Amino acid sequence: MAECNTRQRLSEIGHDAVQYFMEKLLFNIYDRFDEQDLTDVTFKLSNPNAMVKAHRLILSAASPYFRDLFRDEKGICPVIEINNIDSDIFEQLIIFCYTGKTFITNDNVERVLKAALILQLEDTVADCGDFIIENISNYSIKRVYALEREIQCATLNQKLFEYETQNFMSVAESEEFLDFDANKLQKILECNSLNAPTERDVFEAVKRWYDYDALGRKQHLQDLISCLRLTQLDTTFLLTEIQTLPGCESIVVNALSWTNCPALRSNLTLKYTEKRGSQTTSNELLFALNIKERENKNIFQYDNDEGVWYKWFDVKITISDFGVIFMDTNFIFIGGSRCGKAINDVSRWNFKTKTFEQLPSMNQPRHSHSVLLLNETIYAIGGKDEHGV
């Protein structure tokens, strides 16, 4: 054998030459498998009965499971029995060792994933996790959580966590969300990329989880509330919705002090003081409402990245000359005229549900007036009443 220092290293060979040779080599290797030529190991499977032949070197290169198996006394045998994997799934995973591809369907993904965990085929495990998440509407989130609990797969856990944070609102509305353990929920709440329209929405989800078993979950509530971005919530909401919860009084005091007394911040203990990376507060959104159309009011949103306006939605409304403000995730329509007559109606159009909700009316009918929001109070200025005054 030549001395090691005379052998050309792979890193010294041109990339293109190596890639071309590797591709040709892999095709030739698969041809040997496809023709069952020069195989040196046979696997005997019983469900159903099958004999699968392969090449030890290829399998040991593809999986630590096979590498350790062939180094063991059991692996010396020309025929090795496999009793914990179905023969059709095993054969698919052997093909993966040659091609890097696995045929995954809704019907077989659980069996493929479980077998890939046994055979330590990390790429197949990742492919199964991706397939489950991408097809979660067909696979059902309930089934995913059941599988997660059964196999305790770190890769699936991570992919499911990414799904939960990116689809938090739909996950929070599911029945399975109510059965989350406190540690799991806390990890989700701590995530800066948690995708929710506002921090109020995150709080409402936590409140729903807590109310499902208030007595049993009381001990976890303070830790969970501490994970909220409390500085993004207004004073009234903090005082009326959060301070009244068990153990949350001091947290709210710290949040209010942080917002209202910046000089005290160095002495305050607050887990999170910045908004989540995925959230945009209402005053950072830029919308335009076309009020000239008779019934369809076009809502346009400005894309900061692209520097362009695009039509976001059409709101059907039969009034004109109204005042409108943007508050939280709602348009508030105030007064206006209907059929030439001033009205005092006030209604809220919700961005998430795209539905109207009637609010308390103004004291007087007004149209062609101005409105503004100042310190959480709405003011209507000028305009005319039903007599044109």
Side-chain angles (χ1 to χ4, degrees), residues 227-356:
C227 295
L228 299 179
R229 279 45 173 180
L230 296 171
T231 58
Q232 304 305 306
L233 300 170
D234 61 63
T235 299
T236 302
F237 190 85
L238 286 170
L239 293 174
T240 59
E241 300 295 332
I242 298 182
Q243 191 176 39
T244 56
L245 295 174
C248 296
E249 297 85 354
S250 62
I251 302 174
V252 170
V253 171
N254 283 344
L256 292 175
S257 299
W258 181 277
T259 302
N260 300 319
C261 305
L264 300 177
R265 290 180 178 177
S266 59
N267 300 320
L268 298 175
T269 301
L270 203 60
K271 196 168 185 178
Y272 298 99
T273 58
E274 301 293 333
K275 67 182 177 68
R276 299 179 192 276
S278 62
Q279 289 177 349
T280 304
T281 56
S282 60
N283 59 357
E284 291 174 324
L285 293 171
L286 188 57
F287 287 93
L289 180 67
N290 179 5
I291 64 175
K292 295 298 184 182
E293 295 293 329
R294 183 171 296 273
E295 290 189 0
N296 288 328
K297 311 300 181 184
N298 310 127
I299 301 177
F300 296 87
Q301 185 176 6
Y302 184 72
D303 188 322
N304 286 297
D305 296 329
E306 300 293 332
V308 296
W309 288 91
Y310 65 93
K311 188 163 75 170
W312 186 75
F313 198 76
D314 288 338
V315 180
K316 290 188 177 181
I317 186 170
T318 57
I319 59 176
S320 59
D321 302 320
F322 51 81
V324 62
I325 62 167
F326 185 54
M327 185 176 183
D328 294 329
T329 54
N330 305 282
F331 270 126
I332 310 295
F333 293 90
I334 304 165
S337 63
R338 181 181 291 114
C339 300
K341 184 178 180 180
I343 61 174
N344 63 349
D345 294 357
V346 180
S347 58
R348 174 170 58 201
W349 189 79
N350 188 289
F351 269 47
K352 292 188 297 181
T353 63
K354 297 181 175 60
T355 57
F356 275 102

Side-chain angles (χ1 to χ4, degrees), residues 56 64-77 80:
R56 293 172 183 265
Y65 171 88
F66 287 117
R67 184 170 61 248
D68 294 340
L69 174 65
F70 297 143
R71 287 173 175 171
D72 188 79
E73 290 184 6
K74 178 182 177 182
I76 299 175
C77 301
I80 301 174

Side-chain angles (χ1 to χ4, degrees), residues 29-79:
I29 288 172
Y30 184 74
D31 283 343
R32 301 283 72 74
F33 172 74
D34 202 32
E35 296 173 8
Q36 294 289 277
D37 184 26
L38 300 176
T39 58
D40 55 1
V41 64
T42 301
F43 295 96
K44 181 180 179 182
L45 299 107
S46 58
N47 188 28
N49 291 329
M51 305 292 282
V52 178
K53 295 183 178 181
H55 302 86
R56 293 172 183 265
L57 180 61
I58 303 303
L59 300 189
S60 61
S63 160
Y65 171 88
F66 287 117
R67 184 170 61 248
D68 294 340
L69 174 65
F70 297 143
R71 287 173 175 171
D72 188 79
E73 290 184 6
K74 178 182 177 182
I76 299 175
C77 301
V79 178

